[in-house]
Amino acid sequence: MDKKMLRDIDVSGKKVLVRVDYNVPLDKNGKITDDTRIRATIPTIQYLLKQNAAVVLASHLGRPKGAPAPEFTLLPVAKRLAELLGQKVEFIDECVGSKAQAKAAELKCGQVLLLENLRFHPEEEKNNAEFAGKLAGLAEVYVNDAFGVSHRAHASVEGITKYLPAVAGFLMEKEINFLGQAVSNPAHPYVAIIGGAKVSDKIGVIGNLLKKVDTLIIGGGMANTFIAAQGYAVGKSLVEADKLDLARSLIDDAKKSGVSLLLPTDVVVADKFAADAQAKVVAIDAIPTEWMALDIGPATSKVYAAALGGAKLIVWNGPMGVFEMDAFAKGTEAVANAVADACAVSVVGGGDSIAAIEKVGVQAKISHISTGGGASLELLEGKVLPGIAAINDK
Ligand code: ADP
Ligand code: MG
């Protein structure tokens, strides 16, 4: 993945179109509830402004189904971005068309323009060539800083690179470096932690990680399927009955390839799926019929933390339990603290995993928090992401 980065080209005085991922969460009143994704693009924008470039920003927001929808306008994002940059951000209520063209044409160096939601046009997700050409017509250089959509061959991600020189922005560069290293040149001991709700969401990743890691730690709802696959009764736990054979073959694969596959030996069970449920710790061979496993147990947490302690590279995706409820958050907290304390390069991806990291308050001790859940999983699966492949080679 030797891709051309922003610093590899001359952008001074040029008009630069930056694909960003401003798909931010909004509340009922259209207020931005988390501006992390906007903040994440500031280094690229500020660098371009320092180079005297004129910056045209393009993004999607939500799922407007290919037609203009007022609840998905990027106008509030333009306002927030202006506050963060400390300078005016122009906004135009279309992304292609004569108004956008005129606005981009008159944009001067040092100025920033945000275009309206790309997904107001069905052509964006269809990777329509004419639409990509029109977008490209707004600028002289293309920068992809939207890792979160780079697993999608959309017009603003893939098609546009056929018309303009295409490089990776700073955020994209960081994602490529950290995740690329985990895929192609990992430091050892390499420990991966995979959790979350379901095995089926993350089979591809587990399969590929088994070829790379020294230790694979499994937790969360998906661990129940592995517990059941070993022949234990899991009561009313979330379990994927159609994935038992798959879990057994993954256990075999780990054995054959000499990977240490760590599965829970004890769990926290509850009598119902609720914050105020009765809860107790049991060994995996003693899960009561009417109860459900909602977290890994303390003995398991200890083993997992010890394995993480010796790691040089850690990749984490998926919480160890229903961390949204305090009674079932201890396993995730223990793992979060162990990842934070390890003398390792640590990479965390996945919306819920990041929320868990933030709940524990150890963000600052994580080397890289990925901005793309789905995109980071696909990279870890060993897939080539169309948005990254489309960036010019060095
Ligand atoms: P991420 O967003 O980090 O990729 P996932 O979306 O795959 O993670 O999974 C997170 C969800 O899994 C959380 O909502 C959590 O409550 C749920 N979960 C974790 N452990 C269990 C469990 N034992 N039973 C049911 N749900 C679980
Ligand atoms: Mg999730």
Side-chain angles (χ1 to χ4, degrees):
M1 274 200 281
D2 221 4
K3 291 296 175 180
K4 231 178 218 173
M5 305 293 169
L6 187 45
R7 272 198 199 85
D8 296 329
I9 59 163
D10 180 13
V11 288
S12 57
K14 295 209 173 120
K15 204 151 280 174
V16 180
L17 189 139
V18 188
R19 175 53 158 110
V20 286
D21 178 4
Y22 287 162
N23 187 24
V24 292
L26 302 169
D27 68 12
K28 291 190 294 291
N29 309 313
K31 244 192 95 200
I32 298 165
T33 55
D34 181 353
D35 63 3
T36 307
R37 286 183 167 164
I38 306 175
R39 286 175 188 276
T41 65
I42 298 292
T44 294
I45 298 171
Q46 267 171 349
Y47 173 84
L48 287 168
L49 294 175
K50 267 202 189 127
Q51 302 293 313
N52 272 318
V55 182
V56 180
L57 301 167
S59 178
H60 71 288
L61 173 64
R63 296 179 186 277
K65 301 197 180 109
E71 66 271 33
F72 294 121
T73 177
L74 280 162
L75 182 58
V77 174
K79 291 184 180 150
R80 184 76 195 109
L81 177 63
E83 288 165 14
L84 292 169
L85 281 174
Q87 80 167 66
K88 193 172 178 204
V89 172
E90 306 277 341
F91 179 77
I92 181 79
D93 63 356
E94 61 178 28
C95 59
V96 291
S98 52
K99 276 193 287 178
Q101 262 170 15
K103 195 87 180 168
E106 72 193 27
L107 197 73
K108 296 195 180 63
C109 62
Q111 293 185 333
V112 181
L113 165 66
L114 176 62
L115 305 172
E116 184 55 289
N117 198 336
L118 292 158
R119 290 194 190 163
F120 285 179
H121 301 263
E123 294 89 346
E124 160 66 359
E125 290 181 78
K126 287 186 183 137
N127 201 6
N128 176 279
E130 196 189 327
F131 179 82
K134 279 188 196 158
L135 271 180
L138 303 177
E140 300 158 88
V141 175
Y142 170 77
V143 174
N144 186 346
D145 221 14
F147 176 71
V149 283
S150 289
H151 55 321
R152 305 278 180 240
H154 292 170
S156 67
V157 176
E158 203 270 343
I160 191 168
T161 64
K162 305 211 163 76
Y163 304 92
L164 292 175
V167 299
F170 294 149
L171 177 62
M172 177 66 98
E173 179 175 6
K174 211 173 157 223
E175 297 277 7
I176 291 176
N177 286 346
F178 276 103
L179 287 159
Q181 178 203 1
V183 174
S184 54
N185 186 26
H188 293 276
Y190 176 8
V191 183
I193 316 153
I194 300 293
K198 293 188 277 169
V199 181
S200 47
D201 292 341
K202 296 174 186 175
I203 302 168
V205 176
I206 297 173
N208 198 43
L209 284 172
L210 281 175
K211 295 182 209 143
K212 317 245 174 197
V213 299
D214 302 288
T215 302
L216 181 61
I217 293 174
I218 303 280
M222 71 163 67
N224 300 327
T225 300
F226 283 89
I227 294 171
Q230 295 169 86
Y232 301 109
V234 292
K236 293 230 165 355
S237 305
L238 174 76
V239 66
E240 288 165 280
D242 59 334
K243 295 288 176 295
L244 294 175
D245 283 338
L246 176 82
R248 273 188 283 268
S249 76
L250 289 169
I251 293 172
D252 283 345
D253 287 350
K255 262 188 207 132
K256 276 184 216 140
S257 50
V259 171
S260 161
L261 178 65
L262 301 183
L263 298 167
T265 54
D266 64 342
V267 287
V268 180
V269 291
D271 62 347
K272 57 179 177 183
F273 190 89
D276 64 347
Q278 265 196 73
K280 60 183 178 186
V281 174
V282 298
I284 53 166
D285 61 358
I287 299 173
T289 330
E290 295 298 315
W291 294 52
M292 57 187 83
L294 296 185
D295 196 9
I296 56 173
T300 303
S301 289
K302 231 177 174 171
V303 172
Y304 287 9
L308 290 163
K312 281 275 172 290
L313 171 64
I314 297 171
V315 167
W316 180 13
N317 183 295
M320 297 293 97
V322 184
F323 72 100
E324 299 94 331
M325 303 178 193
D326 286 340
F328 313 109
K330 289 194 190 73
T332 303
E333 281 165 15
V335 163
N337 282 314
V339 173
D341 291 342
C343 294
V345 170
S346 50
V347 182
V348 179
D352 292 293
S353 310
I354 293 166
I357 288 278
E358 286 171 355
K359 192 174 177 214
V360 182
V362 291
Q363 309 90 292
K365 289 178 153 184
I366 306 300
S367 313
H368 180 61
I369 295 182
S370 177
T371 52
S376 67
L377 280 176
E378 289 200 15
L379 253 188
L380 291 171
E381 268 178 56
K383 288 189 185 158
V384 173
L385 308 195
I388 295 181
I391 293 169
N392 298 153
D393 290 321
K394 251 188 189 155

